[in-house]
Amino acid sequence: SNIANVHIIRGEYDIALNYLHESYSMISTFLSEKHPLNAHNNFLLGITYYRLGELEKSLKYSKRSLEMYENNIDYKKKLLVIYQLADSYHELGDNGMAFKYYQQALEIITKSKGYSSVIAINIYVSLGLIYQDNGDIQNSNMYFNKALDILMRMNDDLISNNLLYFEIGSIYKY
């Protein structure tokens, strides 16, 4: 799956899919279908299908990965899978399921230390957008401001600050 990851980064999704499916088959045959390496393969398959716009397949593999990581104490891996599921549901327009998984991701972030600030920012912005889509400007603004607070503490990317201010500003058109 390391080779597949390189191809994912390079945008060579068809090549990555070939490596991932081959790796999954080999691990299942020689070790076990439920082996932790297959949890990671399923995660990468979910990401790859997401980037290809095949959201139903992305959900299928991300859910498999989450099932395999369910009892795993590695919160970072679990966080990434849950975040991927939330993004897929959000892209599909299923705001209810997206909200559910974004909230689960926030729970993991709250419980664990050393989480990625970028993921937290993206989750808060996505939740803000969901509330905005539902016409709840007060909660939308609250989540955009939470993202902005983290970003301001990071104090590193003026462009990201400007983009977030644009998102916050967009709620005032209502």
Side-chain angles (χ1 to χ4, degrees):
S1 63
N2 289 334
I3 294 171
N5 203 26
V6 170
H7 289 290
I8 292 169
I9 292 167
R10 294 173 64 180
E12 299 167 341
Y13 303 122
D14 291 332
I15 297 170
L17 287 174
N18 288 334
Y19 279 109
L20 289 169
H21 285 294
E22 183 65 28
S23 174
Y24 187 88
S25 177
M26 289 172 52
I27 292 167
S28 296
T29 300
F30 296 110
L31 298 172
S32 163
E33 187 174 353
K34 299 290 184 186
H35 194 278
L37 290 173
N38 270 344
H40 186 66
N41 276 344
N42 280 313
F43 170 67
L44 292 176
L45 283 163
I47 287 174
T48 305
Y49 281 117
Y50 178 85
R51 292 190 180 163
L52 286 169
E54 296 184 42
L55 300 176
E56 295 295 336
K57 285 184 180 179
S58 175
L59 287 171
K60 172 185 167 184
Y61 288 104
S62 295
K63 285 178 182 178
R64 273 192 198 169
S65 180
L66 183 59
E67 288 172 13
M68 293 175 162
Y69 281 133
E70 199 59 46
N71 296 319
N72 192 323
I73 59 171
D74 187 342
Y75 289 109
K76 289 181 184 178
K77 288 180 181 176
K78 197 171 183 178
L79 171 63
L80 292 174
V81 174
I82 291 170
Y83 176 65
Q84 176 64 36
L85 279 164
D87 275 355
S88 293
Y89 278 115
H90 196 201
E91 282 292 315
L92 281 170
D94 189 340
N95 286 345
M97 290 299 288
F99 186 86
K100 171 188 164 188
Y101 283 108
Y102 285 132
Q103 288 293 343
Q104 284 182 19
L106 283 177
E107 287 174 24
I108 291 172
I109 287 172
T110 303
K111 291 178 186 176
S112 62
K113 296 184 182 195
Y115 69 88
S116 169
S117 296
V118 174
I119 291 176
I121 290 167
N122 288 333
I123 290 169
Y124 284 129
V125 168
S126 295
L127 286 167
L129 291 171
I130 289 171
Y131 276 111
Q132 183 178 332
D133 289 347
N134 292 332
D136 186 342
I137 304 308
Q138 185 174 2
N139 278 319
S140 177
N141 192 30
M142 178 188 71
Y143 280 106
F144 286 145
N145 281 313
K146 284 183 179 192
L148 186 59
D149 288 343
I150 296 170
L151 195 56
M152 297 296 277
R153 285 193 305 262
M154 289 173 59
N155 193 23
D156 66 1
D157 192 350
L158 182 59
I159 294 171
S160 293
N161 281 344
N162 289 337
L163 290 173
L164 190 54
Y165 278 118
F166 174 77
E167 289 293 339
I168 291 171
S170 72
I171 66 171
Y172 291 104
K173 69 180 177 184
Y174 293 102

